[in-house]
Amino acid sequence: MLGVVIGGAAGAELRASRDERARAGTVSLVAMPGSFGSASGSDDGRTVLPNAQLVLVNAGPAPITVRVEGAQRPGALVRDTGQSRLMRPGGTAWIDVEVTFDCMTAFAPEPLPVSFSVETADHRVRRTSYPIALRGSPWQQVCERPLVRADERAGS
């Protein structure tokens, strides 16, 4: 009888440990275009946001450290700036990115899948992506107002 009780307790402990490891390795990340500081444009319709931000939400059950790897498609490029953010479960963070887009083609109806490198609580690095909607975002608003061309800003 004692063996059954000990075996049952050990089995429950093993299941709890396995569940905790699974939770520690879970990644659930939400991303969306955030604010930006300055923007510059060129005669060919390209716009650069050197200090744009992605808003990230850790929808998972454990802390994670996130770094943007980037995204690219015709007309749109999102680049990493080398930043990473530690995020608690349910937490929100803003992470800097550099965005370059062609105002004529970047804002297609399809979302842009952005890749991330995520270190989970079990200290493993995982790759994940999340589709962000560019159409209607604060980043698209840049194309709807006049920009200072990069050569005018430099005094050329």
Side-chain angles (χ1 to χ4, degrees), residues 35-124:
S35 63
F36 58 91
S38 61
S40 62
S42 64
D43 289 334
D44 66 359
R46 293 184 69 71
T47 299
V48 178
L49 303 177
N51 51 0
Q53 292 185 319
L54 276 174
V55 179
L56 306 176
V57 178
N58 178 3
I64 57 175
T65 300
V66 179
R67 189 176 128 289
V68 176
E69 289 190 347
Q72 185 171 3
R73 73 169 176 218
L77 173 67
V78 177
R79 285 195 298 229
D80 169 39
T81 61
Q83 272 191 327
S84 62
R85 289 281 187 256
L86 174 62
M87 300 177 65
R88 63 179 175 73
T92 302
W94 290 259
I95 194 163
D96 293 339
V97 292
E98 182 178 303
V99 180
T100 303
F101 47 75
D102 179 331
C103 290
M104 300 302 290
T105 61
F107 303 100
E110 306 84 32
L112 175 67
V114 178
S115 296
F116 300 91
S117 173
V118 180
E119 183 178 349
T120 54
D122 62 0
H123 302 291
R124 293 184 57 205

Side-chain angles (χ1 to χ4, degrees), residues 31-34 54 73 106-114 130-140:
M32 62 202 89
L54 276 174
R73 73 169 176 218
F107 303 100
E110 306 84 32
L112 175 67
V114 178
Y130 191 85
I132 62 169
L134 295 179
R135 185 174 277 184
S137 74
W139 297 352
Q140 184 180 16

